[in-house]
Structure formats: C-alpha cells, structure tokens
Amino acid sequence: MEITLDKLLASRDRRVEMQQQLREKYPNLTLVCLTVIMPGNVKRNLSSLIASHAAINALIERFSGNIVDIITRDLETGYEAFLITDLSQRDAKIIACDIEDSHQLGRLFDIDILDNDGVPVKRDTVGYSPRRCLMCDNEARYCMRNRTHTPQELNAQIQMMIDSYVQQL
C-alpha cells in the first residue's frame, strides 16, 4: 500500500506522542525507538517485515536482561518498536550503533536512543561515525539530501540485502 506524505507525517506525530507517553511513564529509564528504513512510498511489505523482525530480535538479544518493556506496532506506515531499558542512554546508544553497524541488515535499522527531552542521542557522542549510505561510502544524510541514488537503485539494494539474509537463515 502506498503511503501519502500526509499519512507519513501523521504517523511520525503519533510516534512522537508515544515516545512522550513512554518517557513520562518511565522517567528514569532509557527509551529506544526502532523504525525500519524503507525509501519510497511503500513502507510495509515483505522486505520491511523481515527487516523489522530481524531488528526486534537483535534488540531483544542485545538488551537481554535489561529490558523493562517492549512495544511493537505494525502500521501501514511501517513497523515500529519502543524498548524501555534500565541501561544508561550512553550504554544503550553504544549497543544501538553496534547493531546498526554489525548486523547483516543493520543499515536498514534506525535505532534511536532518546534523551530526557526526546531528542535522539547522536552517534558521535559515543565515538561512532555517521551512518553510511546503502549504495556507496558517503554519509547517508549526504546521499539522502542530494538524492544521489534513485528509489529503484535503493530498493534493489535493499532487496539484495534481504535476499542474502533470508538465504542464511
């Protein structure tokens, strides 16, 4: 199903509301927010389902023993997960960056650690470099901003990553 910009923005607003509610419910704990990176106007498909399950499994494995709560949402605008952990924001960010950088599908995971004001903790604050593009070695934000790669190229790369991952299961 294709998603309009209005639906995507409304979904983002609801995600921010959920984050606020969780920060209020768990004021002294760390909030981890997961989304799956799917360029284009189709956010929910078999590839995003496979990537989201892999991401959630990675979160559960890596945060094992430190999970207070986990909420998953399967929305037409994509999959989301919210994990509450008793780890510090810094320790949670290190784990999140490690998952994003080392998991076979990690480049498709957007794992944010939110500070007490709801602002994502930056990768460089824990010694990690910026995210790399799916297609080349540039910083991801550079290629996104400049639209260096077509949606077709990005989707083909994502499909190759998903296919390779599934073959190894």
Side-chain angles (χ1 to χ4, degrees), residues 107-120:
R107 291 177 119 181
L108 303 179
F109 308 161
D110 186 13
I111 307 171
D112 288 329
I113 308 304
L114 302 179
D115 70 13
N116 297 336
D117 296 320
V119 177

mmCIF file with all atom_site columns, all heavy atoms in Angstrom, residues 107-120:
data_model
loop_
_atom_site.group_PDB
_atom_site.id
_atom_site.type_symbol
_atom_site.label_atom_id
_atom_site.label_alt_id
_atom_site.label_comp_id
_atom_site.label_asym_id
_atom_site.label_entity_id
_atom_site.label_seq_id
_atom_site.pdbx_PDB_ins_code
_atom_site.Cartn_x
_atom_site.Cartn_y
_atom_site.Cartn_z
_atom_site.occupancy
_atom_site.B_iso_or_equiv
_atom_site.pdbx_formal_charge
_atom_site.auth_seq_id
_atom_site.auth_comp_id
_atom_site.auth_asym_id
_atom_site.auth_atom_id
_atom_site.pdbx_PDB_model_num
ATOM 1   N N   . ARG A 1 107 ? 21.936 -1.749 8.369  1.00 0.00 ? 107 ARG A N   1
ATOM 2   C CA  . ARG A 1 107 ? 21.818 -0.483 7.654  1.00 0.00 ? 107 ARG A CA  1
ATOM 3   C C   . ARG A 1 107 ? 20.362 -0.124 7.369  1.00 0.00 ? 107 ARG A C   1
ATOM 4   O O   . ARG A 1 107 ? 20.058 1.006  7.010  1.00 0.00 ? 107 ARG A O   1
ATOM 5   C CB  . ARG A 1 107 ? 22.622 -0.521 6.372  1.00 0.00 ? 107 ARG A CB  1
ATOM 6   C CG  . ARG A 1 107 ? 24.112 -0.553 6.655  1.00 0.00 ? 107 ARG A CG  1
ATOM 7   C CD  . ARG A 1 107 ? 24.901 -0.661 5.395  1.00 0.00 ? 107 ARG A CD  1
ATOM 8   N NE  . ARG A 1 107 ? 25.753 0.502  5.266  1.00 0.00 ? 107 ARG A NE  1
ATOM 9   C CZ  . ARG A 1 107 ? 26.552 0.706  4.240  1.00 0.00 ? 107 ARG A CZ  1
ATOM 10  N NH1 . ARG A 1 107 ? 26.603 -0.156 3.254  1.00 0.00 ? 107 ARG A NH1 1
ATOM 11  N NH2 . ARG A 1 107 ? 27.297 1.794  4.187  1.00 0.00 ? 107 ARG A NH2 1
ATOM 12  N N   . LEU A 1 108 ? 19.468 -1.104 7.528  1.00 0.00 ? 108 LEU A N   1
ATOM 13  C CA  . LEU A 1 108 ? 18.042 -0.850 7.342  1.00 0.00 ? 108 LEU A CA  1
ATOM 14  C C   . LEU A 1 108 ? 17.349 -0.487 8.658  1.00 0.00 ? 108 LEU A C   1
ATOM 15  O O   . LEU A 1 108 ? 16.176 -0.140 8.657  1.00 0.00 ? 108 LEU A O   1
ATOM 16  C CB  . LEU A 1 108 ? 17.348 -2.078 6.737  1.00 0.00 ? 108 LEU A CB  1
ATOM 17  C CG  . LEU A 1 108 ? 17.897 -2.580 5.414  1.00 0.00 ? 108 LEU A CG  1
ATOM 18  C CD1 . LEU A 1 108 ? 17.118 -3.804 4.962  1.00 0.00 ? 108 LEU A CD1 1
ATOM 19  C CD2 . LEU A 1 108 ? 17.858 -1.477 4.366  1.00 0.00 ? 108 LEU A CD2 1
ATOM 20  N N   . PHE A 1 109 ? 18.072 -0.570 9.760  1.00 0.00 ? 109 PHE A N   1
ATOM 21  C CA  . PHE A 1 109 ? 17.504 -0.278 11.069 1.00 0.00 ? 109 PHE A CA  1
ATOM 22  C C   . PHE A 1 109 ? 17.812 1.169  11.436 1.00 0.00 ? 109 PHE A C   1
ATOM 23  O O   . PHE A 1 109 ? 18.939 1.619  11.281 1.00 0.00 ? 109 PHE A O   1
ATOM 24  C CB  . PHE A 1 109 ? 18.106 -1.156 12.170 1.00 0.00 ? 109 PHE A CB  1
ATOM 25  C CG  . PHE A 1 109 ? 18.090 -2.638 11.923 1.00 0.00 ? 109 PHE A CG  1
ATOM 26  C CD1 . PHE A 1 109 ? 18.934 -3.457 12.643 1.00 0.00 ? 109 PHE A CD1 1
ATOM 27  C CD2 . PHE A 1 109 ? 17.261 -3.225 10.988 1.00 0.00 ? 109 PHE A CD2 1
ATOM 28  C CE1 . PHE A 1 109 ? 18.946 -4.834 12.454 1.00 0.00 ? 109 PHE A CE1 1
ATOM 29  C CE2 . PHE A 1 109 ? 17.255 -4.596 10.776 1.00 0.00 ? 109 PHE A CE2 1
ATOM 30  C CZ  . PHE A 1 109 ? 18.115 -5.403 11.521 1.00 0.00 ? 109 PHE A CZ  1
ATOM 31  N N   . ASP A 1 110 ? 16.814 1.858  11.942 1.00 0.00 ? 110 ASP A N   1
ATOM 32  C CA  . ASP A 1 110 ? 17.031 3.182  12.531 1.00 0.00 ? 110 ASP A CA  1
ATOM 33  C C   . ASP A 1 110 ? 16.695 3.040  14.008 1.00 0.00 ? 110 ASP A C   1
ATOM 34  O O   . ASP A 1 110 ? 15.524 2.964  14.378 1.00 0.00 ? 110 ASP A O   1
ATOM 35  C CB  . ASP A 1 110 ? 16.150 4.220  11.854 1.00 0.00 ? 110 ASP A CB  1
ATOM 36  C CG  . ASP A 1 110 ? 16.444 5.631  12.344 1.00 0.00 ? 110 ASP A CG  1
ATOM 37  O OD1 . ASP A 1 110 ? 17.477 5.828  13.020 1.00 0.00 ? 110 ASP A OD1 1
ATOM 38  O OD2 . ASP A 1 110 ? 15.640 6.532  12.058 1.00 0.00 ? 110 ASP A OD2 1
ATOM 39  N N   . ILE A 1 111 ? 17.725 2.959  14.819 1.00 0.00 ? 111 ILE A N   1
ATOM 40  C CA  . ILE A 1 111 ? 17.553 2.748  16.256 1.00 0.00 ? 111 ILE A CA  1
ATOM 41  C C   . ILE A 1 111 ? 17.979 4.023  16.978 1.00 0.00 ? 111 ILE A C   1
ATOM 42  O O   . ILE A 1 111 ? 19.156 4.351  17.032 1.00 0.00 ? 111 ILE A O   1
ATOM 43  C CB  . ILE A 1 111 ? 18.384 1.547  16.762 1.00 0.00 ? 111 ILE A CB  1
ATOM 44  C CG1 . ILE A 1 111 ? 18.100 0.295  15.931 1.00 0.00 ? 111 ILE A CG1 1
ATOM 45  C CG2 . ILE A 1 111 ? 18.108 1.307  18.245 1.00 0.00 ? 111 ILE A CG2 1
ATOM 46  C CD1 . ILE A 1 111 ? 19.029 -0.872 16.221 1.00 0.00 ? 111 ILE A CD1 1
ATOM 47  N N   . ASP A 1 112 ? 16.991 4.738  17.474 1.00 0.00 ? 112 ASP A N   1
ATOM 48  C CA  . ASP A 1 112 ? 17.255 5.983  18.190 1.00 0.00 ? 112 ASP A CA  1
ATOM 49  C C   . ASP A 1 112 ? 17.183 5.752  19.694 1.00 0.00 ? 112 ASP A C   1
ATOM 50  O O   . ASP A 1 112 ? 16.321 5.016  20.178 1.00 0.00 ? 112 ASP A O   1
ATOM 51  C CB  . ASP A 1 112 ? 16.230 7.055  17.817 1.00 0.00 ? 112 ASP A CB  1
ATOM 52  C CG  . ASP A 1 112 ? 16.428 7.598  16.415 1.00 0.00 ? 112 ASP A CG  1
ATOM 53  O OD1 . ASP A 1 112 ? 17.583 7.638  15.948 1.00 0.00 ? 112 ASP A OD1 1
ATOM 54  O OD2 . ASP A 1 112 ? 15.428 7.985  15.788 1.00 0.00 ? 112 ASP A OD2 1
ATOM 55  N N   . ILE A 1 113 ? 18.084 6.406  20.394 1.00 0.00 ? 113 ILE A N   1
ATOM 56  C CA  . ILE A 1 113 ? 18.043 6.475  21.849 1.00 0.00 ? 113 ILE A CA  1
ATOM 57  C C   . ILE A 1 113 ? 17.649 7.916  22.156 1.00 0.00 ? 113 ILE A C   1
ATOM 58  O O   . ILE A 1 113 ? 18.333 8.849  21.732 1.00 0.00 ? 113 ILE A O   1
ATOM 59  C CB  . ILE A 1 113 ? 19.415 6.157  22.491 1.00 0.00 ? 113 ILE A CB  1
ATOM 60  C CG1 . ILE A 1 113 ? 19.976 4.832  21.970 1.00 0.00 ? 113 ILE A CG1 1
ATOM 61  C CG2 . ILE A 1 113 ? 19.298 6.201  24.008 1.00 0.00 ? 113 ILE A CG2 1
ATOM 62  C CD1 . ILE A 1 113 ? 19.101 3.629  22.144 1.00 0.00 ? 113 ILE A CD1 1
ATOM 63  N N   . LEU A 1 114 ? 16.542 8.082  22.868 1.00 0.00 ? 114 LEU A N   1
ATOM 64  C CA  . LEU A 1 114 ? 16.047 9.429  23.127 1.00 0.00 ? 114 LEU A CA  1
ATOM 65  C C   . LEU A 1 114 ? 16.508 9.923  24.489 1.00 0.00 ? 114 LEU A C   1
ATOM 66  O O   . LEU A 1 114 ? 16.451 9.181  25.475 1.00 0.00 ? 114 LEU A O   1
ATOM 67  C CB  . LEU A 1 114 ? 14.529 9.445  23.046 1.00 0.00 ? 114 LEU A CB  1
ATOM 68  C CG  . LEU A 1 114 ? 13.975 8.978  21.694 1.00 0.00 ? 114 LEU A CG  1
ATOM 69  C CD1 . LEU A 1 114 ? 12.466 9.000  21.701 1.00 0.00 ? 114 LEU A CD1 1
ATOM 70  C CD2 . LEU A 1 114 ? 14.514 9.815  20.554 1.00 0.00 ? 114 LEU A CD2 1
ATOM 71  N N   . ASP A 1 115 ? 16.973 11.175 24.503 1.00 0.00 ? 115 ASP A N   1
ATOM 72  C CA  . ASP A 1 115 ? 17.373 11.758 25.783 1.00 0.00 ? 115 ASP A CA  1
ATOM 73  C C   . ASP A 1 115 ? 16.126 12.185 26.556 1.00 0.00 ? 115 ASP A C   1
ATOM 74  O O   . ASP A 1 115 ? 14.994 11.952 26.107 1.00 0.00 ? 115 ASP A O   1
ATOM 75  C CB  . ASP A 1 115 ? 18.389 12.889 25.588 1.00 0.00 ? 115 ASP A CB  1
ATOM 76  C CG  . ASP A 1 115 ? 17.812 14.141 24.946 1.00 0.00 ? 115 ASP A CG  1
ATOM 77  O OD1 . ASP A 1 115 ? 16.556 14.278 24.852 1.00 0.00 ? 115 ASP A OD1 1
ATOM 78  O OD2 . ASP A 1 115 ? 18.605 15.010 24.547 1.00 0.00 ? 115 ASP A OD2 1
ATOM 79  N N   . ASN A 1 116 ? 16.297 12.820 27.685 1.00 0.00 ? 116 ASN A N   1
ATOM 80  C CA  . ASN A 1 116 ? 15.166 13.183 28.552 1.00 0.00 ? 116 ASN A CA  1
ATOM 81  C C   . ASN A 1 116 ? 14.225 14.194 27.910 1.00 0.00 ? 116 ASN A C   1
ATOM 82  O O   . ASN A 1 116 ? 13.077 14.325 28.338 1.00 0.00 ? 116 ASN A O   1
ATOM 83  C CB  . ASN A 1 116 ? 15.676 13.709 29.896 1.00 0.00 ? 116 ASN A CB  1
ATOM 84  C CG  . ASN A 1 116 ? 16.453 12.651 30.641 1.00 0.00 ? 116 ASN A CG  1
ATOM 85  O OD1 . ASN A 1 116 ? 16.265 11.456 30.424 1.00 0.00 ? 116 ASN A OD1 1
ATOM 86  N ND2 . ASN A 1 116 ? 17.350 13.082 31.508 1.00 0.00 ? 116 ASN A ND2 1
ATOM 87  N N   . ASP A 1 117 ? 14.702 14.907 26.889 1.00 0.00 ? 117 ASP A N   1
ATOM 88  C CA  . ASP A 1 117 ? 13.867 15.875 26.176 1.00 0.00 ? 117 ASP A CA  1
ATOM 89  C C   . ASP A 1 117 ? 13.267 15.294 24.897 1.00 0.00 ? 117 ASP A C   1
ATOM 90  O O   . ASP A 1 117 ? 12.611 16.009 24.140 1.00 0.00 ? 117 ASP A O   1
ATOM 91  C CB  . ASP A 1 117 ? 14.686 17.124 25.828 1.00 0.00 ? 117 ASP A CB  1
ATOM 92  C CG  . ASP A 1 117 ? 15.155 17.862 27.072 1.00 0.00 ? 117 ASP A CG  1
ATOM 93  O OD1 . ASP A 1 117 ? 14.361 17.959 28.031 1.00 0.00 ? 117 ASP A OD1 1
ATOM 94  O OD2 . ASP A 1 117 ? 16.308 18.338 27.080 1.00 0.00 ? 117 ASP A OD2 1
ATOM 95  N N   . GLY A 1 118 ? 13.535 14.011 24.633 1.00 0.00 ? 118 GLY A N   1
ATOM 96  C CA  . GLY A 1 118 ? 13.004 13.381 23.428 1.00 0.00 ? 118 GLY A CA  1
ATOM 97  C C   . GLY A 1 118 ? 13.863 13.581 22.197 1.00 0.00 ? 118 GLY A C   1
ATOM 98  O O   . GLY A 1 118 ? 13.441 13.274 21.086 1.00 0.00 ? 118 GLY A O   1
ATOM 99  N N   . VAL A 1 119 ? 15.073 14.084 22.385 1.00 0.00 ? 119 VAL A N   1
ATOM 100 C CA  . VAL A 1 119 ? 15.994 14.320 21.275 1.00 0.00 ? 119 VAL A CA  1
ATOM 101 C C   . VAL A 1 119 ? 16.897 13.099 21.119 1.00 0.00 ? 119 VAL A C   1
ATOM 102 O O   . VAL A 1 119 ? 17.449 12.602 22.104 1.00 0.00 ? 119 VAL A O   1
ATOM 103 C CB  . VAL A 1 119 ? 16.850 15.587 21.537 1.00 0.00 ? 119 VAL A CB  1
ATOM 104 C CG1 . VAL A 1 119 ? 17.875 15.808 20.432 1.00 0.00 ? 119 VAL A CG1 1
ATOM 105 C CG2 . VAL A 1 119 ? 15.945 16.804 21.713 1.00 0.00 ? 119 VAL A CG2 1
ATOM 106 N N   . PRO A 1 120 ? 17.047 12.596 19.877 1.00 0.00 ? 120 PRO A N   1
ATOM 107 C CA  . PRO A 1 120 ? 17.919 11.435 19.677 1.00 0.00 ? 120 PRO A CA  1
ATOM 108 C C   . PRO A 1 120 ? 19.370 11.730 20.062 1.00 0.00 ? 120 PRO A C   1
ATOM 109 O O   . PRO A 1 120 ? 19.907 12.788 19.728 1.00 0.00 ? 120 PRO A O   1
ATOM 110 C CB  . PRO A 1 120 ? 17.813 11.145 18.182 1.00 0.00 ? 120 PRO A CB  1
ATOM 111 C CG  . PRO A 1 120 ? 16.521 11.772 17.756 1.00 0.00 ? 120 PRO A CG  1
ATOM 112 C CD  . PRO A 1 120 ? 16.364 12.990 18.636 1.00 0.00 ? 120 PRO A CD  1
#
